[in-house]
Amino acid sequence: MDKKQKQEQIVNMFDDIASTYDLANRVLTMGIDIKWRKKACQKAYEVLNLKELEQITDVACGTGDLLLFWKEYAQKSGINVKKYVGVDPSVGMLKVAREKIDFAEFKEGKAQELPVADESTELISISYGIRNVVDRVEALQEFYRALKPGGIVVILEFTKQDRSGFIDKIVDFGMKNILPRVGGLISKNYAAYKYLPDSIEGFLTTQMLADELESVGFKMKYTKSFTLGISTLLIAQKPL
């Protein structure tokens, strides 16, 4: 299977689980994913340190969850964001997002080919999506192109961990055995939720992803792991 076919297969999978995606996320993480997203927004606004933004662009936006938190924390922090944009290649996910959110503009598009002008956005986010991008370095280069100088990219992801302790073995067992069964039961698509732990196992470590960001010109500003290393936040900045 070539890269194009693999990417299309992943997008089709997300189309298929779009209607149950939010419910599955809440059940599988017991709501902890909300905490991860909120912490990412808080820290990103702190790092960016601006009171007015032309645009926030959420890539692989899915059903739009992160955009809700970008707006919530902008309002709490007195930050004026003029435009929110969600980009995703899955029409199924975008359908759910448009029904749920009325303050953002949603566009069908790939992370490697963003429908966003050069240097037009101060903040690009991608939560639990960069792992699903086949041409990842091309996507990071595209983020760099679209960001204004001084802008930041915010990544939340399940990065690969060196798991050797007892607790790590329990986490691994849950990810590989319980998650696919529960996710499959909710979505009626076992294969989609078996893909999740398999894709994490085949993904990068946090340091490898940070190295890729720096290789395209970004400067790392912040990294932090959450909940026994299950989720990782990376924030990198485009130099002025």
Side-chain angles (χ1 to χ4, degrees), residues 50-68:
L50 295 174
K51 284 299 181 183
E52 186 165 288
L53 282 69
E54 286 293 325
Q55 183 171 308
I56 288 177
T57 306
D58 189 34
V59 181
C61 66
T63 63
D65 266 5
L66 194 60
L67 286 165
L68 292 170

PDB file of all heavy atoms in Angstrom, residues 50-68:
ATOM      1  N   LEU A  50       0.078  36.945  23.680  1.00  0.00           N
ATOM      2  CA  LEU A  50      -0.537  37.996  22.879  1.00  0.00           C
ATOM      3  C   LEU A  50      -1.964  38.229  23.368  1.00  0.00           C
ATOM      4  O   LEU A  50      -2.623  37.296  23.830  1.00  0.00           O
ATOM      5  CB  LEU A  50      -0.576  37.608  21.399  1.00  0.00           C
ATOM      6  CG  LEU A  50       0.751  37.456  20.666  1.00  0.00           C
ATOM      7  CD1 LEU A  50       0.502  36.918  19.260  1.00  0.00           C
ATOM      8  CD2 LEU A  50       1.497  38.790  20.596  1.00  0.00           C
ATOM      9  N   LYS A  51      -2.432  39.461  23.251  1.00  0.00           N
ATOM     10  CA  LYS A  51      -3.803  39.773  23.657  1.00  0.00           C
ATOM     11  C   LYS A  51      -4.762  39.851  22.475  1.00  0.00           C
ATOM     12  O   LYS A  51      -5.971  39.964  22.650  1.00  0.00           O
ATOM     13  CB  LYS A  51      -3.835  41.100  24.441  1.00  0.00           C
ATOM     14  CG  LYS A  51      -3.332  40.955  25.863  1.00  0.00           C
ATOM     15  CD  LYS A  51      -4.196  39.978  26.661  1.00  0.00           C
ATOM     16  CE  LYS A  51      -3.752  39.820  28.102  1.00  0.00           C
ATOM     17  NZ  LYS A  51      -4.548  38.821  28.841  1.00  0.00           N
ATOM     18  N   GLU A  52      -4.215  39.777  21.262  1.00  0.00           N
ATOM     19  CA  GLU A  52      -5.067  39.773  20.071  1.00  0.00           C
ATOM     20  C   GLU A  52      -4.477  38.846  19.022  1.00  0.00           C
ATOM     21  O   GLU A  52      -3.288  38.926  18.718  1.00  0.00           O
ATOM     22  CB  GLU A  52      -5.221  41.187  19.508  1.00  0.00           C
ATOM     23  CG  GLU A  52      -6.211  41.256  18.354  1.00  0.00           C
ATOM     24  CD  GLU A  52      -6.644  42.668  18.018  1.00  0.00           C
ATOM     25  OE1 GLU A  52      -7.408  43.242  18.813  1.00  0.00           O
ATOM     26  OE2 GLU A  52      -6.204  43.179  16.978  1.00  0.00           O
ATOM     27  N   LEU A  53      -5.307  37.975  18.476  1.00  0.00           N
ATOM     28  CA  LEU A  53      -4.883  37.032  17.443  1.00  0.00           C
ATOM     29  C   LEU A  53      -5.793  37.167  16.237  1.00  0.00           C
ATOM     30  O   LEU A  53      -7.010  37.238  16.378  1.00  0.00           O
ATOM     31  CB  LEU A  53      -4.951  35.583  17.948  1.00  0.00           C
ATOM     32  CG  LEU A  53      -3.844  35.053  18.859  1.00  0.00           C
ATOM     33  CD1 LEU A  53      -3.879  35.698  20.228  1.00  0.00           C
ATOM     34  CD2 LEU A  53      -3.965  33.538  19.005  1.00  0.00           C
ATOM     35  N   GLU A  54      -5.186  37.177  15.071  1.00  0.00           N
ATOM     36  CA  GLU A  54      -5.972  37.196  13.834  1.00  0.00           C
ATOM     37  C   GLU A  54      -6.690  35.864  13.639  1.00  0.00           C
ATOM     38  O   GLU A  54      -7.846  35.827  13.232  1.00  0.00           O
ATOM     39  CB  GLU A  54      -5.072  37.488  12.631  1.00  0.00           C
ATOM     40  CG  GLU A  54      -4.604  38.918  12.508  1.00  0.00           C
ATOM     41  CD  GLU A  54      -5.738  39.875  12.195  1.00  0.00           C
ATOM     42  OE1 GLU A  54      -6.676  39.499  11.457  1.00  0.00           O
ATOM     43  OE2 GLU A  54      -5.689  41.012  12.704  1.00  0.00           O
ATOM     44  N   GLN A  55      -5.963  34.759  13.941  1.00  0.00           N
ATOM     45  CA  GLN A  55      -6.542  33.458  13.620  1.00  0.00           C
ATOM     46  C   GLN A  55      -5.910  32.339  14.434  1.00  0.00           C
ATOM     47  O   GLN A  55      -4.706  32.335  14.683  1.00  0.00           O
ATOM     48  CB  GLN A  55      -6.349  33.160  12.131  1.00  0.00           C
ATOM     49  CG  GLN A  55      -6.973  31.861  11.643  1.00  0.00           C
ATOM     50  CD  GLN A  55      -6.915  31.751  10.126  1.00  0.00           C
ATOM     51  OE1 GLN A  55      -7.338  32.652   9.413  1.00  0.00           O
ATOM     52  NE2 GLN A  55      -6.409  30.630   9.639  1.00  0.00           N
ATOM     53  N   ILE A  56      -6.754  31.399  14.848  1.00  0.00           N
ATOM     54  CA  ILE A  56      -6.308  30.115  15.386  1.00  0.00           C
ATOM     55  C   ILE A  56      -6.761  29.052  14.394  1.00  0.00           C
ATOM     56  O   ILE A  56      -7.920  29.023  13.981  1.00  0.00           O
ATOM     57  CB  ILE A  56      -6.908  29.832  16.773  1.00  0.00           C
ATOM     58  CG1 ILE A  56      -6.265  30.741  17.825  1.00  0.00           C
ATOM     59  CG2 ILE A  56      -6.723  28.365  17.149  1.00  0.00           C
ATOM     60  CD1 ILE A  56      -6.847  30.583  19.221  1.00  0.00           C
ATOM     61  N   THR A  57      -5.834  28.189  14.001  1.00  0.00           N
ATOM     62  CA  THR A  57      -6.134  27.126  13.041  1.00  0.00           C
ATOM     63  C   THR A  57      -5.941  25.776  13.710  1.00  0.00           C
ATOM     64  O   THR A  57      -4.836  25.443  14.132  1.00  0.00           O
ATOM     65  CB  THR A  57      -5.210  27.235  11.810  1.00  0.00           C
ATOM     66  OG1 THR A  57      -5.302  28.548  11.252  1.00  0.00           O
ATOM     67  CG2 THR A  57      -5.601  26.205  10.755  1.00  0.00           C
ATOM     68  N   ASP A  58      -7.014  25.021  13.823  1.00  0.00           N
ATOM     69  CA  ASP A  58      -6.935  23.684  14.415  1.00  0.00           C
ATOM     70  C   ASP A  58      -6.938  22.658  13.283  1.00  0.00           C
ATOM     71  O   ASP A  58      -7.913  22.544  12.532  1.00  0.00           O
ATOM     72  CB  ASP A  58      -8.103  23.459  15.366  1.00  0.00           C
ATOM     73  CG  ASP A  58      -7.951  22.176  16.172  1.00  0.00           C
ATOM     74  OD1 ASP A  58      -6.800  21.837  16.501  1.00  0.00           O
ATOM     75  OD2 ASP A  58      -8.967  21.538  16.471  1.00  0.00           O
ATOM     76  N   VAL A  59      -5.846  21.925  13.163  1.00  0.00           N
ATOM     77  CA  VAL A  59      -5.649  20.954  12.080  1.00  0.00           C
ATOM     78  C   VAL A  59      -6.042  19.565  12.574  1.00  0.00           C
ATOM     79  O   VAL A  59      -5.847  19.229  13.740  1.00  0.00           O
ATOM     80  CB  VAL A  59      -4.181  20.972  11.613  1.00  0.00           C
ATOM     81  CG1 VAL A  59      -3.966  19.981  10.478  1.00  0.00           C
ATOM     82  CG2 VAL A  59      -3.778  22.381  11.188  1.00  0.00           C
ATOM     83  N   ALA A  60      -6.598  18.759  11.649  1.00  0.00           N
ATOM     84  CA  ALA A  60      -7.164  17.462  12.047  1.00  0.00           C
ATOM     85  C   ALA A  60      -8.143  17.716  13.189  1.00  0.00           C
ATOM     86  O   ALA A  60      -8.115  17.059  14.224  1.00  0.00           O
ATOM     87  CB  ALA A  60      -6.072  16.474  12.449  1.00  0.00           C
ATOM     88  N   CYS A  61      -8.996  18.700  12.983  1.00  0.00           N
ATOM     89  CA  CYS A  61      -9.857  19.230  14.053  1.00  0.00           C
ATOM     90  C   CYS A  61     -10.915  18.232  14.506  1.00  0.00           C
ATOM     91  O   CYS A  61     -11.518  18.401  15.573  1.00  0.00           O
ATOM     92  CB  CYS A  61     -10.519  20.528  13.618  1.00  0.00           C
ATOM     93  SG  CYS A  61     -11.715  20.341  12.260  1.00  0.00           S
ATOM     94  N   GLY A  62     -11.177  17.195  13.709  1.00  0.00           N
ATOM     95  CA  GLY A  62     -12.178  16.214  14.098  1.00  0.00           C
ATOM     96  C   GLY A  62     -13.533  16.857  14.305  1.00  0.00           C
ATOM     97  O   GLY A  62     -14.016  17.627  13.476  1.00  0.00           O
ATOM     98  N   THR A  63     -14.123  16.594  15.461  1.00  0.00           N
ATOM     99  CA  THR A  63     -15.450  17.139  15.755  1.00  0.00           C
ATOM    100  C   THR A  63     -15.395  18.523  16.392  1.00  0.00           C
ATOM    101  O   THR A  63     -16.422  19.054  16.810  1.00  0.00           O
ATOM    102  CB  THR A  63     -16.222  16.185  16.682  1.00  0.00           C
ATOM    103  OG1 THR A  63     -15.535  16.089  17.935  1.00  0.00           O
ATOM    104  CG2 THR A  63     -16.361  14.804  16.062  1.00  0.00           C
ATOM    105  N   GLY A  64     -14.195  19.092  16.485  1.00  0.00           N
ATOM    106  CA  GLY A  64     -14.065  20.480  16.929  1.00  0.00           C
ATOM    107  C   GLY A  64     -13.856  20.693  18.406  1.00  0.00           C
ATOM    108  O   GLY A  64     -13.890  21.839  18.874  1.00  0.00           O
ATOM    109  N   ASP A  65     -13.621  19.631  19.181  1.00  0.00           N
ATOM    110  CA  ASP A  65     -13.481  19.773  20.630  1.00  0.00           C
ATOM    111  C   ASP A  65     -12.458  20.828  21.047  1.00  0.00           C
ATOM    112  O   ASP A  65     -12.714  21.648  21.930  1.00  0.00           O
ATOM    113  CB  ASP A  65     -13.080  18.431  21.256  1.00  0.00           C
ATOM    114  CG  ASP A  65     -14.284  17.647  21.745  1.00  0.00           C
ATOM    115  OD1 ASP A  65     -15.416  18.097  21.515  1.00  0.00           O
ATOM    116  OD2 ASP A  65     -14.091  16.580  22.346  1.00  0.00           O
ATOM    117  N   LEU A  66     -11.269  20.792  20.436  1.00  0.00           N
ATOM    118  CA  LEU A  66     -10.215  21.707  20.880  1.00  0.00           C
ATOM    119  C   LEU A  66     -10.582  23.164  20.596  1.00  0.00           C
ATOM    120  O   LEU A  66     -10.226  24.059  21.368  1.00  0.00           O
ATOM    121  CB  LEU A  66      -8.877  21.354  20.219  1.00  0.00           C
ATOM    122  CG  LEU A  66      -7.650  22.030  20.855  1.00  0.00           C
ATOM    123  CD1 LEU A  66      -7.509  21.652  22.326  1.00  0.00           C
ATOM    124  CD2 LEU A  66      -6.384  21.672  20.101  1.00  0.00           C
ATOM    125  N   LEU A  67     -11.310  23.417  19.515  1.00  0.00           N
ATOM    126  CA  LEU A  67     -11.727  24.790  19.215  1.00  0.00           C
ATOM    127  C   LEU A  67     -12.601  25.358  20.327  1.00  0.00           C
ATOM    128  O   LEU A  67     -12.521  26.553  20.638  1.00  0.00           O
ATOM    129  CB  LEU A  67     -12.478  24.828  17.880  1.00  0.00           C
ATOM    130  CG  LEU A  67     -11.601  24.667  16.633  1.00  0.00           C
ATOM    131  CD1 LEU A  67     -12.464  24.360  15.413  1.00  0.00           C
ATOM    132  CD2 LEU A  67     -10.753  25.910  16.393  1.00  0.00           C
ATOM    133  N   LEU A  68     -13.417  24.519  20.933  1.00  0.00           N
ATOM    134  CA  LEU A  68     -14.248  24.970  22.061  1.00  0.00           C
ATOM    135  C   LEU A  68     -13.371  25.470  23.204  1.00  0.00           C
ATOM    136  O   LEU A  68     -13.673  26.493  23.829  1.00  0.00           O
ATOM    137  CB  LEU A  68     -15.131  23.821  22.554  1.00  0.00           C
ATOM    138  CG  LEU A  68     -16.238  23.353  21.609  1.00  0.00           C
ATOM    139  CD1 LEU A  68     -16.853  22.060  22.125  1.00  0.00           C
ATOM    140  CD2 LEU A  68     -17.313  24.423  21.463  1.00  0.00           C
TER     141      LEU A  68
END
